[in-house]
Amino acid sequence: MTIAENAADPIAAEAVPRPGYPRPDRDRSARWLSLNGRWRFTAADGAPESIVVPFAWESPASGVQRTWLEHAVYARSITVPPEWTGQRVMLCFGAVHHRAVVSIDGVAVGSHVGGHSSFEFDVTDVLEPGRPAELTVEVEAPADKREIPHGKQRSIPRDDYDGVSFTPTSGIWQSVWLEARGRTYAAEVSVRGDSLTGFDIAGELAGDAPDSAAVVALLDGHETVLSVRDGRFSGRLDVPSPQLWSPESPYLYSIALTVGEGDGADRLTVTGGLRRIETRGEALYLNGERLYVRGVLDQGYWPESGLTAPDDEALIRDLDLARELGFSLVRKHLKAEEPRWLDHADRTGMLIWAEPPGPSRFSPAAAEAFEAQLPDLVRRDGNHPSIVIWGLYNEEWGLDWDIPGSPERAAAAEHAYDLMRSLDDTRPIVENSGWAHVKTDLVDWHYYDENPRTWAENLAALASGERESFEVKLRPDFLVDKSFYGSADFPRSGVPVLNSEYGAGFTSLERAWHVRWQTQEIRRHDRFSGYIYTELTDVEHEMAGLLDAHRRPKDWGGLNPADAFAATTLVVDLVPAHAGADLPVPVAPLTLDVHVSHTGQEPIAGTLHAAWGASGSRSLPSSPADSVSAQAKPFRLSDAFPLTVPAPGGPARLHLWLEMDGKVAARTFVDAAVVEELNRRGARD
């Protein structure tokens, strides 16, 4: 049922934005009613208007487009369908930033604090089926966000990281809906398949008889009666012939839960996958097989609608775009993305690094507010097999960039890790992404460098352990050294090491050039467990995306990013000069050493080819100038294979590719052109 079918309110006759059921992973879509659409809206200055839910009031899509509004009231008429008589009725909110007070016909039904957490209220006793009622949501959204979890939203006063912050997202910014449940219902369901042989299921009951209701799970035609005690249920669902979930084969199981009996029973379908993610020494393993992370950072912003996708197609399209660009993982940055997005990741096999928004200044209250959202995050999203890493703080934001110099701030990062581990012991956790680690399952690092030589040299030193620090520009006038480690006690080996932010270049051509050379240098070092490129799309003034803000490709200078981010890549022994001219035009035969980096599970063998093509050309030449047999073992950089080509006679592009069984398995290129000195003429006397 949609808003258009609820004719009690004239403004409810418009088409419903974001009409899909918001929780496909916990499906009760047989009995639900979307409340998205146009609501009445009264701002703090008293001017009445209307707003389109679920778009933030700062966004054009909302129809309001007002920034720094700190208080507003939403209102609309709602009617519970008559056929829901005898059921429990739940009022559900995907997310409201930042504090919401909800009333029906002037009677408060509940309040919630936390801009990215989902929440719900049992409104059975205040809504009579078939009778219209007035729903109001009063929202407070502080302009000063520094001590509340807000991620990349801009603050007044400004954040330390204002230069990489964006238009705020305030008010109702995810779907609102009503749904019918049984008289006793499953309020919480946890499904974990990390045993790889079945599911461990647990949850919490609410309603009329939470201590005595029967709970039955149906999986592949087999019923299991779950035990119930003190309002909680639990049990084990074995799978006789298990099919594992992986990026190559994202097999999902559907578990039908029934609470109670007869017409008053609660029924829902929960999805889950059999998969295990773990660390072994300095490597990641998925289902017992070595995993290499080929990821991209995604901030989940859209030009017209902010943090809310404009429609369901746009929401899931970003995952498909990431796959087309060669990535196997998406790091959703400082945003608890919608369950529909995670469900699509589950169904298509995209791995997810999930992380909540954080505050930007440290205080005990800020640390407490940050941790308060973690239980809700795990309860809502913990069933998704696609989530393989939990991130917590980012770059010491909310810790004043000072874990090493502040025992109190270091303790806050460690405490957040311990809390998350108590909530979910099935996934690796990163307590502070970027550097200064004190308690983490992954030593991840963020490093940006415009110079290809220092990039290559520093990566080699970081990989070998010769150095553990690197320069970080926290602001244009604030350059500091940051270390992998925030404590002398943290082990210097035995924990996986991976990059989780990199990228460089001012123009799109420069960025594509750095994609090619910086990524190959990460692949050169077997110690690293992967990388996460910054980033998928542009966001407002931040123009670092492979795609622009409207998800359109940029000029990549003939590069297909999927070649650079592929599971099998080529690594060339060369320090390039600059974009468009990796090396001067050779005047004699040129020999280059080429390696193969392969992250599949089996060794590979093929033929490496080299041939000149026209400058900027994309197509491979029909006739190689040189070829050599090449082999590579999984997760080990191959030996160097020398390839020699004649002088091209002028600017040209040297294509390098690995052919296996008549197909191209990996490719890259090297541009030969005039390497100009920088034109920096001084002032005349």
Side-chain angles (χ1 to χ4, degrees):
M1 185 175 292
T2 67
I3 291 178
E5 298 173 83
N6 180 8
D9 188 345
I11 68 171
E14 299 180 12
V16 180
R18 301 302 309 277
Y21 182 67
R23 294 299 310 269
D25 58 302
R26 202 167 300 180
D27 189 6
R28 285 189 173 96
S29 60
R31 296 179 297 181
W32 82 292
L33 173 67
S34 175
L35 299 181
N36 290 349
R38 191 167 298 279
W39 293 46
R40 295 184 297 279
F41 184 77
T42 305
D45 56 14
E49 48 190 311
S50 66
I51 189 168
V52 178
V53 170
F55 302 115
W57 63 56
E58 293 90 348
S59 70
S62 72
V64 175
Q65 201 171 1
R66 293 183 61 178
T67 308
W68 309 122
L69 181 63
E70 295 189 275
H71 183 273
V73 178
Y74 295 73
R76 61 157 294 149
S77 176
I78 59 174
T79 303
V80 173
E83 57 268 29
W84 291 8
T85 299
Q87 304 294 308
R88 288 207 167 269
V89 179
M90 306 299 298
L91 174 60
C92 307
F93 293 84
V96 181
H97 186 86
H98 171 70
R99 181 174 187 268
V101 178
V102 181
S103 301
I104 294 177
D105 287 338
V107 177
V109 297
S111 63
H112 180 267
V113 175
H116 280 239
S117 301
S118 297
F119 58 98
E120 62 186 31
F121 303 115
D122 187 334
V123 293
T124 308
D125 295 336
V126 293
L127 286 177
E128 178 184 338
R131 182 182 67 82
E134 182 79 356
L135 169 63
T136 60
V137 181
E138 184 177 0
V139 179
E140 294 178 11
D144 186 351
K145 299 174 174 61
R146 293 173 297 169
E147 293 190 9
I148 64 175
H150 64 282
K152 285 294 200 80
Q153 300 181 62
R154 191 168 289 116
S155 173
I156 294 179
R158 59 173 282 167
D159 286 311
D160 286 342
Y161 51 89
D162 183 73
V164 292
S165 295
F166 312 119
T167 301
T169 290
S170 301
I172 300 173
W173 68 277
Q174 289 188 21
S175 290
V176 186
W177 72 101
L178 291 169
E179 66 182 34
R181 300 182 186 173
R183 295 300 306 180
T184 302
Y185 61 92
E188 174 190 332
V189 183
S190 168
V191 172
R192 296 293 187 270
D194 53 298
S195 69
L196 305 185
T197 59
F199 293 98
D200 295 297
I201 186 168
E204 182 178 332
L205 299 176
D208 292 357
D211 295 332
S212 59
V215 182
V216 177
L218 179 65
L219 174 61
D220 285 350
H222 300 285
E223 280 192 353
T224 301
V225 178
L226 305 179
S227 65
V228 177
R229 183 177 182 180
D230 297 330
R232 294 195 62 83
F233 62 89
S234 62
R236 167 75 181 177
L237 309 179
D238 288 313
V239 178
S241 300
Q243 298 187 59
L244 304 189
W245 185 97
S246 69
E248 298 75 26
S249 179
Y251 190 88
L252 287 179
Y253 287 88
S254 294
I255 303 168
L257 281 180
T258 302
V259 181
E261 299 175 346
D263 294 338
D266 184 48
R267 293 180 175 86
L268 71 155
T269 300
V270 183
T271 56
L274 299 177
R275 73 101 185 90
R276 179 190 299 140
I277 179 73
E278 60 186 324
T279 64
R280 300 180 189 174
E282 293 193 347
L284 278 163
Y285 283 80
L286 182 69
N287 300 337
E289 294 186 341
R290 182 83 176 268
L291 173 67
Y292 188 87
V293 171
R294 307 185 335 268
V296 64
L297 185 137
D298 173 21
Q299 309 206 52
Y301 269 77
W302 287 266
E304 297 300 314
S305 54
L307 283 177
T308 312
D311 51 52
D312 290 336
E313 292 73 19
L315 178 70
I316 63 177
R317 176 59 175 151
D318 278 3
L319 286 166
D320 298 335
L321 289 170
R323 179 175 289 100
E324 292 169 11
L325 289 167
F327 300 108
S328 62
L329 177 143
V330 172
R331 178 186 173 200
K332 182 61 73 167
H333 191 37
L334 296 169
K335 178 188 180 186
E337 191 56 276
E338 300 178 41
R340 288 185 66 85
W341 184 83
L342 291 168
D343 180 72
H344 190 65
D346 292 343
R347 296 182 186 281
T348 58
M350 180 61 78
L351 302 175
I352 301 298
W353 170 319
E355 61 192 28
S360 54
R361 291 293 177 90
F362 176 76
S363 70
E368 182 179 354
F370 176 77
E371 292 185 4
Q373 63 191 332
L374 301 184
D376 293 330
L377 181 66
V378 174
R379 278 194 294 265
R380 194 192 73 169
D381 298 340
N383 293 342
H384 292 283
S386 56
I387 297 179
V388 293
I389 297 170
W390 289 122
L392 296 174
Y393 286 100
N394 176 73
E395 294 184 354
E396 300 173 287
W397 296 354
L399 300 170
D400 298 339
W401 286 332
D402 196 24
I403 284 178
S406 168
E408 186 180 19
R409 288 161 178 77
E414 187 170 340
H415 191 268
Y417 173 96
D418 290 338
L419 173 59
M420 198 65 169
R421 176 57 65 224
S422 72
L423 297 167
D424 184 3
D425 63 356
T426 67
R427 296 171 170 94
I429 298 167
V430 178
E431 92 289 33
N432 173 60
S433 182
W435 49 71
H437 292 292
V438 289
K439 193 171 189 179
T440 185
D441 299 316
L442 304 174
V443 174
D444 80 318
W445 44 283
H446 302 176
Y447 177 36
Y448 296 93
D449 193 333
E450 299 285 337
N451 185 311
R453 181 174 295 279
T454 57
W455 172 263
E457 291 173 350
N458 288 339
L459 258 61
L462 292 169
S464 68
E466 178 184 344
R467 65 179 301 174
E468 57 189 43
S469 64
F470 44 91
E471 285 188 344
V472 175
K473 184 179 287 188
L474 297 178
R475 287 194 303 267
D477 59 345
F478 188 17
L479 188 68
V480 299
D481 281 338
K482 289 293 184 181
S483 171
F484 281 176
Y485 313 106
S487 164
D489 298 329
F490 194 94
R492 266 46 179 180
S493 62
V495 180
V497 179
L498 76 159
N499 173 278
S500 54
E501 285 190 31
Y502 77 103
F506 179 71
T507 68
S508 58
L509 287 171
E510 287 176 340
R511 294 200 70 82
W513 180 67
H514 282 293
V515 161
R516 188 158 40 99
W517 291 105
Q518 291 194 343
T519 307
Q520 82 147 32
E521 290 305 315
I522 296 175
R523 294 291 293 263
R524 185 184 295 277
H525 302 290
D526 297 335
R527 186 187 185 194
F528 298 146
S529 295
Y531 56 80
I532 297 176
Y533 178 76
T534 305
E535 59 194 317
L536 181 64
T537 72
D538 292 346
V539 183
E540 296 187 357
H541 56 276
E542 190 171 286
M543 312 296 282
L546 291 165
L547 308 171
D548 71 14
H550 296 279
R551 280 57 177 171
R552 295 173 299 205
K554 296 183 177 181
D555 184 352
W556 297 321
L559 172 72
N560 180 352
D563 294 334
F565 300 128
T568 303
T569 59
L570 303 182
V571 177
V572 184
D573 288 349
L574 175 70
V575 176
H578 60 70
D582 297 317
L583 49 72
V585 177
V587 295
L590 171 70
T591 298
L592 286 176
D593 284 341
V594 181
H595 307 259
V596 180
S597 172
H598 174 60
T599 58
Q601 299 302 318
E602 301 294 333
I604 60 171
T607 304
L608 270 173
H609 301 293
W612 291 106
S615 294
S617 58
R618 299 184 182 184
S619 300
L620 295 177
S622 57
S623 299
D626 193 16
S627 301
V628 62
S629 296
Q631 310 81 34
K633 296 179 179 179
F635 306 100
R636 292 186 61 183
L637 188 72
S638 76
D639 294 334
F641 301 105
L643 288 164
T644 301
V645 291
R653 171 164 289 176
L654 178 61
H655 293 275
L656 304 164
W657 70 99
L658 174 66
E659 186 175 340
M660 296 172 51
D661 300 323
K663 297 181 179 180
V664 176
R667 59 184 291 181
T668 189
F669 58 84
V670 175
D671 284 328
V674 176
V675 178
E676 292 187 314
E677 296 296 327
L678 290 176
N679 183 5
R680 298 289 187 266
R681 298 185 66 188
R684 294 182 179 179
D685 294 336

